[in-house]
Amino acid sequence: QWTHCHASLHLMNSLNHATPAPLFEGGVRAQNLTLTYASPRSTTYAVRDVSLEIGPQQFAGIVGPSGSGKSSMLYLMSGLRTATSGEVFFGDFHYSAATPSQKLDFRRREFGFIFQSPHLVPYLSVLENVLVPIENPKTDDKAFALELLERLGIAELAAKFPNECSGGERVRVSMARGLVHRPKWLWVDEPTASLDHVTGATVMNVLRTQTQHGALVVVTHDLEILDDADVVFKMRDGVLVGHDVAVRS
């Protein structure tokens, strides 16, 4: 079951730009995020004055049509893109105000990423690509990497190189890489866009295990894969227009 909330209620604090009390201890809080692209004649808003919060072990979705700003919002919260204005906090850590080196250290330690493009290292094997986030992988790390490949249905590719894998297989390798170091925050952009329905269902089952130890934030146009999300934020034209919160019985 879902409870629908209008963005105007969720964003009440953004109207007066006061600093709201956090909803979740240790969660991420985006406050009045705006991203603009300026040209000599006009300013285009990719994201406009968006505030939201996600708990530390929630499964959250961000949905909207193409050009709605949903992917930009993910990049702003994770720090891969710098906001024109607004702030991001992870618990008590003021992420937006941190130095570049502090942000980099925090991302390496706390974040996992799964992009639409796999970005695999061509001269590393599939298993070696999965282990890239771990500086000195131990036997247990390698065993977990192989377990992830097995659960994603590509265990037989462990010794192969990216050019020996199909596009969909490379996407699944990147998913194992995003999960292998058990990040506190896993940021996922359109995970099923290049996969068939059955494979998409399989990978979502694996991705959901992230919430056993951290948060899962998924950007998608496919509402079906968010059926059991804790919260779904809806964006249009760079603005948060509402959100649905799951009511668990």
Side-chain angles (χ1 to χ4, degrees), residues 56-57 106-114 133-134 144 148 175-188 207 209-216:
Q57 284 184 266
F106 188 80
R107 280 200 298 271
R108 284 177 173 168
R109 188 175 68 250
E110 308 284 350
F111 290 177
F113 292 97
I114 299 171
I134 301 174
F144 184 50
L148 287 170
M175 291 178 176
R177 180 187 59 197
L179 287 159
V180 73
H181 56 305
R182 297 177 175 88
K184 289 186 179 177
W185 295 91
L186 182 60
W187 309 95
V188 187
L207 291 179
T209 64
Q210 162 68 17
T211 58
Q212 294 170 7
H213 57 264
L216 172 63

Side-chain angles (χ1 to χ4, degrees), residues 19-20 22 26-31 33 52-54 77 86-97 106 185:
T19 301
V28 60
R29 186 167 88 255
Q31 186 178 335
L33 288 183
L52 59 81
E53 291 190 47
I54 299 169
M77 287 192 294
E87 299 175 297
V88 178
F89 298 83
F90 286 88
D92 296 328
F93 179 49
H94 193 174
Y95 188 50
S96 305
F106 188 80
W185 295 91

Side-chain angles (χ1 to χ4, degrees), residues 4-13 243:
H4 180 69
C5 308
H6 290 291
S8 58
L9 296 178
H10 186 72
L11 302 181
M12 213 174 332
N13 285 304
H243 69 286

Side-chain angles (χ1 to χ4, degrees), residues 30-160:
Q31 186 178 335
N32 307 113
L33 288 183
T34 294
L35 177 65
T36 61
Y37 298 103
S39 69
R41 294 187 176 183
S42 65
T43 297
T44 301
Y45 284 85
V47 173
R48 188 167 190 158
D49 199 31
V50 173
S51 298
L52 59 81
E53 291 190 47
I54 299 169
Q57 284 184 266
Q58 281 196 313
F59 173 14
I62 305 176
V63 300
S66 179
S68 62
K70 58 186 185 298
S71 291
S72 294
M73 194 63 197
L74 182 145
Y75 297 145
L76 291 176
M77 287 192 294
S78 63
L80 295 182
R81 196 166 290 169
T82 301
T84 306
S85 61
E87 299 175 297
V88 178
F89 298 83
F90 286 88
D92 296 328
F93 179 49
H94 193 174
Y95 188 50
S96 305
T99 66
S101 63
Q102 288 172 330
K103 288 181 181 178
L104 181 60
D105 288 344
F106 188 80
R107 280 200 298 271
R108 284 177 173 168
R109 188 175 68 250
E110 308 284 350
F111 290 177
F113 292 97
I114 299 171
F115 302 106
Q116 290 189 55
S117 298
H119 301 298
L120 302 182
V121 182
Y123 55 83
L124 296 181
S125 71
V126 162
L127 179 59
E128 289 167 337
N129 265 285
V130 172
L131 289 166
V132 160
I134 301 174
E135 191 169 350
N136 294 301
K138 299 179 172 56
T139 302
D140 287 351
D141 298 319
K142 293 176 183 177
F144 184 50
L146 289 169
E147 178 189 330
L148 287 170
L149 292 175
E150 176 71 34
R151 286 158 58 191
L152 289 163
I154 50 172
E156 73 281 1
L157 301 179
K160 293 187 179 294

